[in-house]
């Protein structure tokens, strides 16, 4: 629990900016994150770790003309903040002038979104996390599986203040429960859910989901590599959205001509609609970015057509547009990123998605995916923890994992149906939360088999 004697995040940010101005900054920005996180891990059907961390970080950006220095710290007294400002100033003096830099953002309206924080997550104690883990373990035992995974909660206040008048703060929380199970006969299963409110996650249901996959994956058959129609469950569909955001809808990639993006270009089936939406309460909402700019909903793909990309102040200045509120903390060599991607649901139930396959594969998730050709969003990886043969609309056998090399753009162009239910899925923690439905795709290129 956060120490009630700790200064408010905004007050710390104010003082840090003041120290930077005293040290000679022409402009300054402070980002303060005051948070508490807790993690309970389990393995082999036993709890084996429970840890918690409570602390504050300060990220100070010092601007001297067109020279920029950044320093970070975690001590709040005036002497520490003065040293932090001096370090950032010294760093700036040794930097070349940044010709792209015009100014830090000016203040603007930042309406706070509903549903970014939940008291239940902030108050989730070790017993509650252990109960969730126990529920998953309890689901594993009837199918003779060993459960592995984690239960994680984070609650924080983030404040952004700059010398031009930006002054915003918000409480945010995030809960994440994940399990992988291993059963007899080589069966494995997976389940994962993210929510703002810890109470919204049904650990028992996640455990049953993973256990059912584990039991169904016993003694998988081997299929040859080839082109198969597929149904991608939420976890696999998430990976497609993740890579599109990472290499496609980042304005820096577009400005450097490394992205497929062109306004009006058809890149997907008309059934596909993808946006970045910080107000989507099915995910983990946020009102502003790490420059204190309000997040606005950005349509990325509408009815299969490219619409917009996300911007921070740097790319917005270069493109002559306004920032969309997608900045990462400075220094940031990667450009803006869509942390709140959300794919619209369709009208097809999961049963109907599978029922539409004459002969194809149901894919639970992808693993160890990497870009072969970023501009084509050509990705290589493998299936994991649940791959099934579907014949005449019915699941008929578990299948040994397959490797693939596939353009995710081509996959989206081949979308035949979109699921009616969406799920918030973790995107490797540091890449946010992605809300996606399941997808049926008419063609997916599997290039090899695996030993497991």
């Amino acid at each position: 629990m956060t120490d009630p004697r700790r200064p408010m995040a905004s007050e710390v940010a104010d003082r840090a900016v003041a120290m930077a101005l005293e040290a000679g900054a022409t402009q300054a920005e402070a980002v303060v994150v005051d948070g508490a996180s807790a993690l309970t891990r389990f393995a082999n059907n036993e709890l084996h770790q429970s840890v918690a961390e409570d602390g504050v970080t300060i990220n100070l950006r010092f601007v001297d003309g067109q020279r920029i220095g950044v320093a970070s710290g975690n001590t709040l007294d005036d002497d520490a903040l003065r040293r932090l400002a001096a370090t950032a100033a010294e760093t700036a003096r040794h930097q070349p002038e940044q010709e792209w830099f015009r100014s830090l953002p000016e203040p603007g309206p930042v309406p706070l979104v509903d549903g970014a924080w939940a008291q239940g997550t902030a108050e989730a104690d070790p017993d509650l996390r252990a109960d969730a883990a126990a529920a998953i373990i309890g689901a594993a035992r009837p199918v003779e599986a060993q459960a592995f995974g984690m239960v994680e909660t984070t609650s924080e206040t983030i404040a952004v203040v700059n010398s031009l008048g930006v002054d915003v703060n918000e409480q945010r929380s995030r809960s994440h429960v994940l399990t992988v199970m291993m059963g007899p006969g080589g069966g494995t299963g997976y389940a994962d859910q993210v929510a703002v409110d810890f109470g919204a996650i049904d650990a028992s249901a996640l455990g049953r989901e993973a256990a059912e996959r584990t039991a169904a994956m016993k003694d998988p058959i081997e299929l040859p590599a080839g082109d198969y129609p597929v149904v991608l469950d939420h976890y696999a569909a998430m990976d497609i959205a993740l890579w599109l955001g990472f290499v496609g809808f980042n304005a820096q990639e577009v400005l450097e001509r490394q992205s497929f993006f062109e306004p009006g270009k058809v890149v997907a089936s008309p059934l596909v609609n993808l946006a970045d939406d910080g107000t989507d309460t099915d995910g983990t909402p946020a009102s502003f970015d790490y420059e204190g700019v309000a997040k606005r909903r950005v349509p990325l793909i509408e009815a299969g057509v490219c619409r917009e990309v996300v911007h921070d102040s740097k790319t917005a200045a270069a493109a002559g547009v306004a920032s969309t509120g997608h900045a990462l903390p400075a220094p940031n060599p990667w450009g803006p990123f869509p942390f709140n991607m959300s794919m619209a649901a369709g009208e097809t139930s999961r049963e109907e998605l599978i029922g539409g396959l004459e002969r194809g594969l149901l894919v639970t998730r992808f693993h160890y995916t990497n870009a072969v050709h970023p501009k084509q969003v050509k990705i290589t990886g493998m299936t994991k923890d649940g791959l099934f043969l579907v014949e005449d609309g019915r699941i008929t056998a578990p299948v040994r994992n397959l490797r693939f090399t596939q353009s995710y753009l081509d996959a989206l162009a081949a979308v035949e149906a979109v699921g009616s239910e969406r799920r918030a899925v973790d995107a490797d923690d540091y890449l946010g939360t992605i809300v996606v439905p399941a997808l049926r795709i008419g063609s997916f290129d599997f290039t090899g088999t695996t030993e497991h």
Side-chain angles (χ1 to χ4, degrees), residues 36-79:
S37 62
L39 176 68
T40 296
R41 294 185 185 273
F42 52 98
N44 297 306
N45 285 355
E46 293 183 354
L47 299 181
H48 75 97
Q49 184 184 47
S50 183
V51 295
E53 180 180 11
D54 183 1
V56 61
T57 60
I58 310 157
N59 196 66
L60 180 63
R61 180 157 49 160
F62 185 106
V63 179
D64 182 4
Q66 287 189 304
R67 300 179 192 275
I68 302 172
V70 179
S72 298
N74 59 3
T75 308
L76 309 182
D77 62 84
D78 283 347
D79 287 342

Side-chain angles (χ1 to χ4, degrees), residues 37 75 90 94 96 130 140 142 171 232 249 287 338 361 365 369 376 407:
S37 62
T75 308
E90 183 67 15
H94 290 284
Q171 286 184 299
L232 303 185
F249 295 108
S287 303
L361 296 171
R365 72 179 183 119
T369 54
Q376 296 175 1
S407 164

Side-chain angles (χ1 to χ4, degrees), residues 49-321:
Q49 184 184 47
S50 183
V51 295
E53 180 180 11
D54 183 1
V56 61
T57 60
I58 310 157
N59 196 66
L60 180 63
R61 180 157 49 160
F62 185 106
V63 179
D64 182 4
Q66 287 189 304
R67 300 179 192 275
I68 302 172
V70 179
S72 298
N74 59 3
T75 308
L76 309 182
D77 62 84
D78 283 347
D79 287 342
L81 294 180
R82 201 168 281 114
R83 290 193 298 271
L84 187 70
T87 300
E90 183 67 15
T91 302
R93 282 191 283 272
H94 290 284
Q95 298 300 311
E97 291 191 346
Q98 305 296 315
E99 294 183 1
W100 59 266
F101 182 77
R102 298 292 179 269
S103 174
L104 294 176
E106 297 277 354
V110 182
L112 295 182
V113 302
D114 292 328
W117 184 83
Q119 187 75 26
T121 300
E123 294 180 347
D125 59 19
D127 288 340
L128 283 176
R129 296 194 306 276
D131 288 344
I136 292 171
I137 292 167
R141 288 189 169 123
V143 297
E144 299 180 346
Q146 297 291 312
F148 305 77
M150 68 173 194
V151 181
E152 182 178 32
T153 57
T154 302
S155 180
E156 65 185 20
T157 299
I158 178 170
V160 183
V161 172
N162 77 19
S163 56
L164 301 181
V166 167
D167 188 348
V168 293
N169 70 87
E170 180 173 57
Q171 286 184 299
R172 299 174 186 172
S173 63
R174 188 175 191 266
S175 305
H176 181 202
V177 179
L178 175 154
T179 184
V180 176
M181 293 185 186
M182 301 177 66
T188 63
Y190 179 89
D192 168 18
Q193 188 177 353
V194 175
V196 169
D197 188 349
F198 183 70
I201 297 178
D202 186 340
S204 294
L206 285 178
R208 291 192 298 272
E209 178 186 339
E212 288 169 4
R213 283 199 180 96
T214 303
M217 278 297 297
K218 183 179 180 180
D219 300 324
I221 65 172
E222 184 171 333
L223 288 182
D227 191 277
Y228 292 88
V230 295
V231 170
L232 303 185
D233 247 326
H234 304 86
Y235 313 116
M238 178 279 295
D239 200 72
I240 291 182
L242 171 66
W243 277 103
L244 289 176
F246 193 60
V247 303
F249 295 108
N250 172 331
Q252 182 167 295
E253 297 290 321
V254 176
L255 292 168
E256 294 175 353
R257 300 184 179 180
Q258 298 300 310
S259 169
F260 64 82
F261 177 85
E262 295 175 20
K265 179 180 179 180
V266 177
V267 295
S269 159
L271 298 173
V272 175
N273 293 278
L274 180 67
D276 187 83
D277 189 358
T279 69
D280 188 348
T281 54
D282 284 345
T284 50
S287 303
F288 54 85
D289 68 3
Y290 288 93
E291 293 182 317
V293 176
K295 286 180 173 289
R296 73 167 177 84
R297 185 183 186 278
V298 180
L300 306 173
I301 298 174
E302 287 186 333
V305 178
C306 285
R307 291 305 182 199
E308 298 181 38
V309 295
V310 299
H311 284 278
D312 56 16
S313 63
K314 177 182 177 180
T315 63
V321 298

Side-chain angles (χ1 to χ4, degrees), residues 173-176 193-196 238 241-242 275-277 280 282-285 337-342 423-436:
S173 63
R174 188 175 191 266
S175 305
H176 181 202
Q193 188 177 353
V194 175
V196 169
M238 178 279 295
L242 171 66
D276 187 83
D277 189 358
D280 188 348
D282 284 345
T284 50
F337 191 81
F339 274 101
N340 300 94
M341 281 190 289
S342 177
R423 175 174 285 186
V425 182
D426 176 66
D428 293 334
D429 287 325
Y430 60 93
L431 294 175
T433 302
I434 299 177
V435 183
V436 285

